[in-house]
Amino acid sequence: MRIDKVVFYILVIGMITSIALFVTSMLLSSITKIYLSAMLARIGVEVLIATPYITIASIVVMSVLKRDYRLLVLALIVLIIMMLSLTMSLVLHATP
Amino acid sequence: MIAMATGFIAAFMGIGGGLIIVPTLTIVFDVPIHEAIAASIVGVVATSISSASSYIRQKMTNIRLALFLETSTTLGALTGALLALITPASLLYFMFALFAFYVSFSQAYSARKEVEKLHVGGFKRAAPDALSRYLHLSGRYFDLRESKDIEYVVRGSIKGWLLSFLAGMGSAMLGIGGGFIKVSAMNMFMNVPFKAAVATSKFMIGFTAATGAIVYYVAGIVRPQLVAPVATGTISGAFLGTLIMNKVRVKWLKLAFSCLTLYIGYSMLKKGLLYALGVVLP
């Protein structure tokens, strides 16, 4: 399978899942199911934030499978910096 | 409705949209600034996912170029986050304002030239630099307005990489400004057609914004019930934007981008003057 197709499917799944969760959450909040509504919105946020991480990880895997080592290096650098940034914020407790 | 309009503009111009979402939430809805920035950055991830998926389906996004530039953007964001702890951001506001004014002028000036360049196949006549050739950064897309395949050769890789570093640094230090620099870097310095630059920038923004968003989420500043309407609006607006962008004449897109960067330049100058000299502009 082509890399752009894999990326496309991951993005679409991330988008549809999060929007479904957000819409359900907003509907529930209007009929006073506050706890459930908040939980669904939180999962929606988590899905949204996780989608780019899953996308870049999938590009790493796909470039290994395709033996495209130049793309692999680029994707790995991006993934490492993204993880480094997260680790530093967790360790330093620095909030932008 | 405002989030939807923001998503639409962001997808159209290749920007994140934080510039519109943050003031709307703070001024119109009286949300505290930190919560507004956190909600905005998650909303930016949402516009990116929505528009990037559509642009990838339309084969407009150059994934290799996006990842090449993203190495410097994320590195710039990391550097910016550390610098923000020790350096005042006012100097960066002035730098960004100057660059935005230059971009605004240059995009308006080159609007007609790009149309001619598309017609005569000028984007594929450039010579690639060594890095671009080694990483196979050049690409192509189908322009619906021109009804033809546009091939382009990427050059000026180092210059583009350095500008993207600045974009990442700006996003981390000022919270805004990443998108317009990426689009300009690709279009003005790397020989990438405007529409391909917008699509590629939208794909990149997701990674940068997610890196910032996860930090806010871990810190507990993201309010999911505030994000829900923002993200729903930006996702749907961005999707609509991507359906139209490729059908619009590039001249009008560039002129709209010129107006947007003029506004960005003014708001950066305003903040810079306020923080550095205490001068309040209207």
Side-chain angles (χ1 to χ4, degrees), chain B residues 119-272:
Chain B
H119 285 159
V120 298
F123 282 103
K124 68 174 177 185
R125 287 199 196 134
D129 60 89
L131 201 55
S132 162
R133 205 177 309 123
Y134 180 74
L135 294 171
H136 306 298
L137 297 181
S138 299
R140 61 167 67 208
Y141 77 97
F142 187 78
D143 195 308
L144 286 174
R145 178 74 207 191
E146 303 295 326
S147 295
K148 67 178 190 182
D149 218 20
I150 307 289
E151 221 177 300
Y152 56 92
V153 171
V154 173
R155 63 172 185 218
S157 307
I158 301 290
K159 216 184 277 178
W161 195 89
L162 290 173
L163 274 169
S164 290
F165 182 86
L166 197 68
M169 225 167 90
S171 312
M173 288 181 82
L174 314 179
I176 46 174
F180 94 93
I181 296 185
K182 285 176 214 173
V183 173
S184 316
M186 282 185 265
N187 184 238
M188 290 161 57
F189 301 102
M190 299 180 80
N191 194 45
V192 179
F194 189 80
K195 289 180 181 178
V198 166
T200 305
S201 166
K202 283 307 297 184
F203 181 60
M204 290 167 69
I205 284 169
F207 299 117
T208 322
T211 311
I214 205 164
V215 176
Y216 282 102
Y217 185 74
V218 169
I221 307 168
V222 176
R223 254 175 59 196
Q225 280 171 303
L226 178 64
V227 172
V230 172
T232 309
T234 55
I235 285 177
S236 34
F239 186 72
L240 287 176
T242 60
L243 294 181
I244 299 168
M245 191 273 267
N246 200 4
K247 294 175 186 157
V248 176
R249 252 181 186 279
V250 73
K251 188 173 89 175
W252 298 118
L253 284 177
K254 282 176 78 100
L255 288 175
F257 190 74
S258 167
C259 295
L260 180 80
T261 46
L262 191 66
Y263 171 69
I264 292 174
Y266 175 74
S267 59
M268 297 264 181
L269 182 69
K270 193 174 158 182
K271 281 186 183 162

